[in-house]
Amino acid sequence: MLDNKIPKAEYGIVGGSGTLSSDFPNNIQAQDVEIIADNLRFETPYGESPAMRLFSVGDKQVLTVKMHGWRSGVSRSDASRQVFWVFREAGVKRILSEGGVGTVNKLLDLRDFIVPDDYLDMSVRKDVMLDGRYLLIMREALCPEMRKTLIEAVSKRFDGRVFIRGTYAVTDGRHFESPAEVAMLNGHADIVGQSMCPEVYLAREIGACYAGLYFTVNYGEGIKVWSHEDMSNIFYDDAVMIGEILLETIRNTSAQDKHCHCQELRKETLLKDVYNSESAKG
Ligand SMILES: [Zn+2]
């Protein structure tokens, strides 16, 4: 059933492989967490949104979606636009994303955690936007304030290795990268995945901060042979911890009192006649 009224929420979580196997946040024992509404779907200019869940952490309302909104029959760019269009209408100001990634940097091992500070977009979905009203400056694209809070939350709950900066290379997928592609990325990126773009652009376009938590689930081809079993074990074993880290980060992040420059890096475009709301959808 379609829900016409988009609820207010200042926080968004774009769930990925880390929470996919779980019923996040129902799988977390927490006194201050309550599900407000479930299975919410909204009409958007890009088609019906994926199912969303609205919950509260203390007095903060959070909208969340599974697996980046990806589903069969919907292009990934439309899925992302549906999610971020709803986030904008809901008034979301802070967005957290998570996901499993492959290694590019040879120093990385499976189950390392990374909070990237930059990205390299190798996807061909370059023009994914909502209405194109803004010039998006991608300096400090991953919110420094949210990254700091996220790193503190990870360090409290995870005993393994946490890398507090790194570059996330984005490819289209769904296939993984070839040995030659991983070799080409090496030296330019540390990890490779398929979700950070266009999410990071759309977050900036709606004026929201964006940061992500990523964990290595496979080695890049040509680095070391990995098993599918390793990957699925990580997905299942770490879901509760990843959920707890996300909730802790929300608890410690204010949507009103921001100490970052994310919003100032979005400027009114000088190309208003070109990017009006109609031409941007065509
Ligand atoms: Zn920010």
Side-chain angles (χ1 to χ4, degrees):
M1 201 184 84
L2 277 181
D3 297 271
N4 296 321
K5 195 165 166 10
I6 295 176
K8 288 289 157 209
E10 288 187 307
Y11 300 82
I13 293 180
V14 186
S17 1
T19 50
L20 181 65
S21 66
S22 71
D23 187 23
F24 176 77
N26 272 338
N27 59 327
I28 315 278
Q29 303 277 346
Q31 299 282 338
D32 61 344
V33 174
E34 191 182 335
I35 308 292
I36 300 168
D38 217 352
N39 216 19
L40 300 168
R41 292 172 203 271
F42 307 101
E43 195 64 67
T44 83
Y46 315 99
E48 186 180 317
S49 79
M52 294 187 168
R53 174 174 274 179
L54 178 70
F55 68 93
S56 59
V57 190
D59 58 359
K60 296 169 175 173
Q61 298 218 148
V62 187
L63 259 180
T64 188
V65 62
K66 278 193 174 210
M67 209 52 208
H68 309 281
W70 297 341
R71 57 245 199 254
S72 62
V74 179
S75 73
R76 287 186 171 186
S77 52
D78 273 347
S80 294
R81 288 196 286 194
Q82 291 159 5
V83 171
F84 282 76
W85 187 88
V86 172
F87 279 177
R88 185 177 70 184
E89 300 303 304
V92 169
K93 296 282 176 280
R94 301 273 206 178
I95 299 167
L96 279 172
S97 186
E98 56 88 2
V101 290
T103 67
V104 173
N105 187 321
K106 290 183 179 179
L107 296 174
L108 291 174
D109 271 318
L110 298 189
R111 258 199 180 95
D112 283 341
F113 274 60
I114 300 107
V115 181
D117 64 342
D118 207 350
Y119 67 91
L120 177 67
D121 187 1
M122 302 298 288
S123 76
V124 296
R125 299 183 297 255
K126 299 292 185 198
D127 228 6
V128 180
M129 58 189 169
L130 296 182
D131 56 26
R133 270 184 56 209
Y134 298 102
L135 172 70
L136 307 176
I137 300 169
M138 301 313 284
R139 185 186 314 143
E140 295 192 332
L142 288 308
C143 173
E145 189 186 8
M146 289 189 75
R147 287 182 50 249
K148 183 169 179 284
T149 311
L150 191 50
I151 289 163
E152 285 165 2
V154 181
S155 306
K156 257 194 239 168
R157 279 178 172 68
F158 181 58
D159 295 334
R161 303 201 301 174
V162 183
F163 292 86
I164 62 172
R165 68 185 76 83
T167 300
Y168 180 129
V170 185
T171 59
D172 279 321
R174 298 182 43 141
H175 52 273
F176 286 179
E177 298 68 37
S178 70
E181 287 171 334
V182 172
M184 184 195 73
L185 291 172
N186 196 4
H188 302 282
D190 301 292
I191 50 175
V192 59
Q194 301 167 4
S195 65
M196 189 180 283
C197 298
E199 290 178 1
V200 68
Y201 308 133
L202 292 168
R204 183 133 293 177
E205 184 172 355
I206 68 170
C209 299
Y210 178 88
L213 174 64
Y214 303 91
F215 47 98
T216 50
V217 294
N218 66 283
Y219 291 104
E221 289 306 319
I223 293 178
K224 191 174 170 185
V225 175
W226 54 280
S227 76
H228 190 260
E229 195 184 347
D230 283 338
M231 178 183 272
S232 56
N233 285 345
I234 298 173
F235 285 169
Y236 286 102
D237 294 352
D238 294 345
V240 170
M241 177 179 64
I242 290 166
E244 285 175 349
I245 291 167
L246 297 174
L247 292 180
E248 183 69 4
T249 306
I250 300 278
R251 286 188 192 103
N252 295 328
T253 302
S254 166
Q256 305 298 331
D257 188 19
K258 288 192 178 186
H259 301 276
C260 59
H261 301 287
C262 298
Q263 206 141 3
E264 297 151 35
L265 294 166
R266 179 185 79 161
K267 313 278 188 197
E268 285 289 337
T269 180
L270 304 174
L271 305 172
K272 289 197 181 73
D273 295 340
V274 181
Y275 288 122
N276 61 47
S277 59
E278 289 310 307
S279 65
K281 288 178 212 160

